[in-house]
Amino acid sequence: MTLDRPPALDLPTLRKIARDTVARWTRAQGGLLSAYLVGSVAANEPPLGNAADIDLILIHDDSRPGRPLYNREIIPLNDAVVLDLTHHTAA
């Protein structure tokens, strides 16, 4: 997913991007058991300067296909916002 223009870097917008990311992942891949928002956005800390990252931990059902090949993904959405996804499987 890429954004055409940088969104306003406020916490409600960043949380909406996080929710939308989880919803899209669930629709496209399935097997997502839970998602956790962590880091500065979860702690309600304002973005530093003109950039922000959205840290999500995604817990997957290991018995279903579609789990990511890598445990970590850094996905730039635009020049100002980056998604930092960490993938784990349920124990």
Side-chain angles (χ1 to χ4, degrees), residues 2 4 7-8 11 24-25 39 46-47 51 62-63 68 73 78-79 86 88:
T2 58
D4 295 331
L11 290 171
R24 260 192 310 285
W25 183 274
D62 198 29
S63 66
E73 294 180 90
N78 58 36
D79 290 340
T86 302
H88 293 280

Side-chain angles (χ1 to χ4, degrees), residues 1-87:
M1 168 187 131
T2 58
L3 302 173
D4 295 331
R5 59 184 171 78
L9 288 181
D10 59 18
L11 290 171
T13 300
L14 295 172
R15 284 191 289 267
K16 181 178 182 333
I17 293 170
R19 281 191 306 274
D20 292 350
T21 298
V22 171
R24 260 192 310 285
W25 183 274
T26 302
R27 281 191 308 272
Q29 304 294 331
L32 186 64
L33 299 175
S34 60
Y36 300 93
L37 180 64
V38 297
S40 59
V41 175
N44 289 321
E45 296 173 5
L48 285 173
N50 295 327
D53 69 332
I54 301 168
D55 303 299
L56 288 169
I57 297 174
L58 305 176
I59 310 298
H60 301 273
D61 179 356
D62 198 29
S63 66
R64 291 185 53 149
R67 185 184 183 288
L69 296 175
Y70 303 101
N71 289 335
R72 184 118 185 248
E73 294 180 90
I74 307 295
I75 304 169
L77 300 181
N78 58 36
D79 290 340
V81 180
V82 173
L83 278 175
D84 185 344
L85 305 178
T86 302
H87 301 279

